[in-house]
Amino acid sequence: MTERQAPQARNERDRPWLMRTYAGHSTAEASNELYRRNLAKGQTGLSVAFDLPTQTGYDPDHILARGEVGRVGVPVSHLGDMRRLFQDIPLEQMNTSMTINATAMWLLALYQVVAEEQGLDKEAIAELQGTTQNDIVKEYLSRGTHVFPPVPSLRLTTDMICYTVNNIPKWNPINICSYHLQEAGATPVQEIAYAMSTAIAVLDAVFASGQIAEERKGEVVARISFFVNAGVRFVEEMCKMRAFGRIWDRITRERYGIENPKHRRFRYGVQVNSLGLTEAQPENNIQRIVLEMLAVTLSKDARARAVQLPAWNEALGLPRPWDQQWSLRMQQVLAYESDLLEYADLFEGSHVVEAKVSQLVDDSFAEIDRIQEMGGAMAAVESGYLKSQLVASHAERRARIESGEEKIVGVNIFESTEPNPLTADLDAAIMTVDPAVEARVTAALQVWRDTRYQPPFNHPRPCKALDRLKEAAKSTDNLMEATLECARAGVTTGEWAGALREVFGEFRAPTGVSSAPVAVTAEEGTAMAAVRRKVERTARDLGVGKLRFLVGKPGLDGHSNGAEQIAVRARDAGFEVVYQGIRLTPEEIVSAAVAEDVHGVGLSILSGSHAQLVPDVLERLREAGAGDIPVIAGGIIPNADAERLRAAGVAAVFTPKDFDITGIIGRIVDEIRKANKLDPLEVPA
């Protein structure tokens, strides 16, 4: 065989990225079983989803927790729950990601104590690997699980970073999360700029705290990780990741003087875009997920270190274990069957890619500089600037979809379809959480409270631990040691957060609705013009200056993007809109509806708690003598639930397939006319 004919040696393969599935539901026991099954299927890291009460610092028996317990994640109320969550899972062998923010310090403390109970000594604890998301800025902007005001929230983050660098140095104490910014409407430039501005605020605070020696600054920077979103615009998303890396390298080198290139490396995990998944023709979500995954894996120089993929049916409801397995197998096929990991960077030297990356870098730095001139990310949160920019960007995107300028297959183009065997039985195509779970979890919490005073816990240890926590919060002490003491003493999630609420107070973030610009104009002949006429005519028929519409977010669901877009469009259509933001009880919503004498109430719930909270609002309206006010429900609501809501008295139900917001506003006017016994208007909406 000649030299020319000799077989070419295979390139050495890179190690695959960490493969995770974002999972957790119902109870610690059920989630533990799910984790062990997923690990047996080849998952290489754990990604824990916590329920909304855990994320927002409430125990399951709090009034705001009603309908939310175990629904979008696992409830963890105390050390006993954390023990059961990781039973028979050796934590020293795990790389565990915990999607937790306002209560991140508390959950890390519980995790560490469970590791200690598994027999890990101080040296072994120092080897624990994983990530706590711990990015509170994006909670103010997009996800709504914040608890405390910006300054004390930043202190909690700072203390936790300093603690982990000194005691658990392989842990990623923050996962700066631009993922939810894109979900809230961020452009690539906004996603980069807002995430980097958050990182600057965090690093400035850590280095100003005096808890980190000068020679260890590089170690701090090296533990800052990011969690990003990859949308379906493949080239733009792949270039965005390369731009992220360049910007991070420049900021850490120039602003913080980090010389070691390994410390400056941009380290990120990714969940690909869930916002773009459609309820209509949901089978198309498979190719969307694969394309989005390629954007963060094909480019070796900007490849994700961890990937978790949504399931094809997330726009319909909670995915089943089989659906999550399908998404895991997508990653495994790419990593183990293809030759992707055998080659150097595929895009190096591309003029097209270089031009796009350079543009993103320049535009992002311009926005970063603008935020720094305002006083940094925290000041830009408190002023409402960041939120209003996101609401405006999201409104513009929705307008492009409604006009057909931005095309979505199966939604506003190619809408005809064959029957889908995957959703033939729609109620069986998603997982549902047993409503009885909440009662069981609440009862178990009471048992914990009653028995923690007995050996090995002895009253008044929980009280003493909470007193120490409050004293530490009033001082400049690092809060992690006091939090660990609370975990060991049997304190509950609600008690830990409640103690800090007493010291720090709470925070209601700006909604961004009042300052959002008009996204859809009302020129003659447009759908918006027709709806505005319907609004004006109905107001005249009712003898009022303006129709008044209340948009409410009951419970703990903080995903307010849809509610904000409805509020903005109703405002632009001529309504007087009452929108008080997230996290309201049904009682508060009804009180506001009566006090403002509104003509309609819109309830937005994406967490699945609609089955309990919407009927509660209806009943309270009847008791208040306002049962004739039409109630509109919107969110991820399965068909069977929608039927039950309509039977209970809901006037109309809208789900993600209803993308035409102007048309929805027109329907709301129709329901107001019907409720007030006015003749229908023959005006197309």
Side-chain angles (χ1 to χ4, degrees), residues 150 371 374-388 507 510 512 515:
I371 292 167
M374 296 176 184
M378 292 303 182
V381 165
E382 292 181 300
S383 71
Y385 170 77
L386 295 184
K387 182 65 174 178
S388 64
F507 184 71
S515 55

Side-chain angles (χ1 to χ4, degrees), residues 122-433:
K122 186 176 181 180
E123 288 71 26
I125 292 292
E127 296 295 313
L128 289 175
Q129 296 186 63
T131 302
T132 30
Q133 192 168 99
N134 205 14
D135 174 4
I136 204 65
V137 170
K138 69 95 171 49
E139 298 301 324
Y140 298 133
L141 299 178
S142 58
R143 197 162 166 269
T145 67
H146 55 274
V147 177
F148 313 111
V151 171
S153 292
L154 185 58
R155 176 188 169 187
L156 283 166
T157 300
T158 298
D159 283 357
M160 194 170 144
I161 291 172
C162 295
Y163 175 83
T164 55
V165 167
N166 290 319
N167 296 278
I168 318 178
K170 294 185 178 181
W171 193 269
N172 300 319
I174 187 169
N175 196 226
I176 293 169
C177 181
S178 67
Y179 175 87
H180 291 94
L181 301 181
Q182 187 178 127
E183 298 275 284
T187 65
V189 167
Q190 289 172 329
E191 188 178 342
I192 295 169
Y194 297 174
M196 288 297 168
S197 296
T198 298
I200 289 169
V202 167
L203 286 175
D204 284 357
V206 168
F207 295 143
S209 73
Q211 300 183 63
I212 299 294
E214 181 69 23
E215 65 272 15
R216 301 194 69 187
K217 288 174 68 174
E219 296 174 49
V220 174
V221 170
R223 300 323 301 174
I224 305 296
S225 63
F226 292 79
F227 188 71
V228 305
N229 200 328
V232 78
R233 290 173 57 82
F234 169 80
V235 175
E236 187 171 66
E237 294 294 333
M238 186 270 296
C239 291
K240 179 185 77 180
M241 299 322 308
R242 298 173 82 90
F244 253 128
R246 287 190 196 178
I247 291 170
W248 183 239
D249 184 81
R250 180 169 149 189
I251 288 173
T252 54
R253 186 179 67 253
E254 296 181 0
R255 187 180 182 95
Y256 301 109
I258 307 302
E259 296 297 333
N260 188 335
K262 289 185 178 179
H263 289 164
R264 299 198 308 266
R265 183 175 164 200
F266 181 72
R267 301 162 61 252
Y268 79 98
V270 64
Q271 171 158 323
V272 306
N273 192 297
S274 294
L275 174 68
L277 303 185
T278 63
E279 180 183 5
Q281 298 183 29
E283 65 276 10
N284 295 333
N285 294 331
I286 293 297
Q287 49 265 37
R288 292 185 179 107
I289 292 168
V290 171
L291 185 60
E292 291 164 352
M293 174 177 59
L294 292 176
V296 295
T297 53
L298 284 186
S299 179
K300 181 178 179 179
D301 291 349
R303 183 172 292 149
R305 293 183 51 136
V307 177
Q308 58 191 45
L309 303 181
W312 69 278
N313 55 350
E314 284 199 13
L316 306 176
L318 285 176
R320 301 157 299 186
W322 184 87
D323 307 313
Q324 294 180 334
Q325 174 184 296
W326 194 358
S327 291
L328 175 62
R329 296 292 185 247
M330 292 178 204
Q331 297 195 59
Q332 291 168 331
V333 168
L334 179 64
Y336 297 108
E337 293 189 26
S338 84
D339 58 354
L340 170 66
L341 297 177
E342 297 174 14
Y343 292 93
D345 195 274
L346 304 179
F347 301 100
E348 186 178 350
S350 166
H351 299 299
V352 172
V353 170
E354 182 58 36
K356 182 65 176 176
V357 171
S358 296
Q359 178 193 358
L360 288 170
V361 169
D362 292 345
D363 292 349
S364 297
F365 268 119
E367 182 65 7
I368 291 168
D369 291 344
R370 186 175 296 113
I371 292 167
Q372 292 307 304
E373 289 170 4
M374 296 176 184
M378 292 303 182
V381 165
E382 292 181 300
S383 71
Y385 170 77
L386 295 184
K387 182 65 174 178
S388 64
Q389 293 296 107
L390 290 177
V391 172
S393 293
H394 199 181
E396 290 167 6
R397 177 179 181 270
R398 294 300 301 246
R400 291 195 302 272
I401 294 171
E402 290 176 48
S403 69
E405 177 186 349
E406 185 169 324
K407 294 176 173 53
I408 301 178
V409 173
V411 174
N412 63 2
I413 187 174
F414 308 128
E415 298 166 60
S416 61
T417 180
E418 297 296 326
N420 183 349
L422 293 174
T423 57
D425 182 357
L426 196 56
D427 294 328
I430 57 173
M431 187 179 74
T432 56
V433 175

Side-chain angles (χ1 to χ4, degrees), residues 435-491:
V437 162
E438 185 165 319
R440 292 202 299 270
V441 170
T442 301
L445 171 66
Q446 190 56 52
V447 171
W448 175 267
R449 290 191 185 124
D450 292 341
T451 58
R452 65 184 172 178
Y453 303 119
Q454 303 167 8
F457 302 125
N458 291 289
H459 185 70
R461 275 190 66 193
C463 297
K464 287 184 176 179
L466 288 167
D467 287 342
R468 185 191 167 194
L469 177 67
K470 286 187 274 192
E471 289 304 312
K474 294 171 186 175
S475 72
T476 58
D477 293 350
N478 188 300
L479 289 166
M480 192 67 194
E481 288 296 345
T483 295
L484 283 163
E485 184 176 326
C486 286
R488 296 182 182 114
V491 165

Side-chain angles (χ1 to χ4, degrees), residues 389-664:
Q389 293 296 107
L390 290 177
V391 172
S393 293
H394 199 181
E396 290 167 6
R397 177 179 181 270
R398 294 300 301 246
R400 291 195 302 272
I401 294 171
E402 290 176 48
S403 69
E405 177 186 349
E406 185 169 324
K407 294 176 173 53
I408 301 178
V409 173
V411 174
N412 63 2
I413 187 174
F414 308 128
E415 298 166 60
S416 61
T417 180
E418 297 296 326
N420 183 349
L422 293 174
T423 57
D425 182 357
L426 196 56
D427 294 328
I430 57 173
M431 187 179 74
T432 56
V433 175
D434 183 354
V437 162
E438 185 165 319
R440 292 202 299 270
V441 170
T442 301
L445 171 66
Q446 190 56 52
V447 171
W448 175 267
R449 290 191 185 124
D450 292 341
T451 58
R452 65 184 172 178
Y453 303 119
Q454 303 167 8
F457 302 125
N458 291 289
H459 185 70
R461 275 190 66 193
C463 297
K464 287 184 176 179
L466 288 167
D467 287 342
R468 185 191 167 194
L469 177 67
K470 286 187 274 192
E471 289 304 312
K474 294 171 186 175
S475 72
T476 58
D477 293 350
N478 188 300
L479 289 166
M480 192 67 194
E481 288 296 345
T483 295
L484 283 163
E485 184 176 326
C486 286
R488 296 182 182 114
V491 165
T492 69
T493 297
E495 290 168 344
W496 177 86
L500 293 182
R501 280 182 169 101
E502 287 183 34
V503 180
F504 295 152
E506 292 191 73
F507 184 71
R508 292 194 70 79
T511 67
V513 168
S514 60
S515 55
V518 173
V520 176
T521 56
E523 285 92 354
E524 192 57 42
T526 64
M528 179 57 98
V531 170
R532 284 187 69 95
R533 286 198 297 273
K534 289 177 71 169
V535 172
E536 292 165 359
R537 171 69 183 275
T538 303
R540 286 199 306 271
D541 290 348
L542 292 175
V544 296
K546 273 192 168 188
L547 292 183
R548 292 178 296 281
F549 184 60
L550 183 146
V551 178
K553 289 284 297 176
L556 295 176
D557 171 33
H559 288 83
S560 57
N561 305 329
E564 290 155 3
Q565 294 306 310
I566 290 290
V568 168
R569 196 68 58 85
R571 177 204 69 185
D572 295 345
F575 275 92
E576 178 182 327
V577 176
V578 179
Y579 177 57
Q580 299 171 325
I582 62 171
R583 219 177 297 173
L584 299 171
T585 65
E587 184 178 16
E588 289 171 328
I589 288 172
V590 170
S591 294
V594 172
E596 299 287 347
D597 193 22
V598 299
H599 300 97
V601 171
L603 301 177
S604 171
I605 304 175
L606 279 80
S607 63
S609 59
H610 51 264
Q612 286 179 258
L613 298 183
V614 174
D616 192 2
V617 171
L618 289 168
E619 181 59 30
R620 289 177 184 275
L621 282 171
R622 294 186 191 106
E623 291 173 356
D628 56 341
I629 299 176
V631 173
I632 318 295
I636 299 177
I637 302 175
N639 286 344
D641 284 2
E643 289 301 321
R644 283 190 282 269
L645 291 180
R646 281 188 281 264
V650 169
V653 176
F654 297 102
T655 66
K657 71 178 184 301
D658 302 301
F659 68 93
D660 179 6
I661 298 181
T662 300
I664 291 173

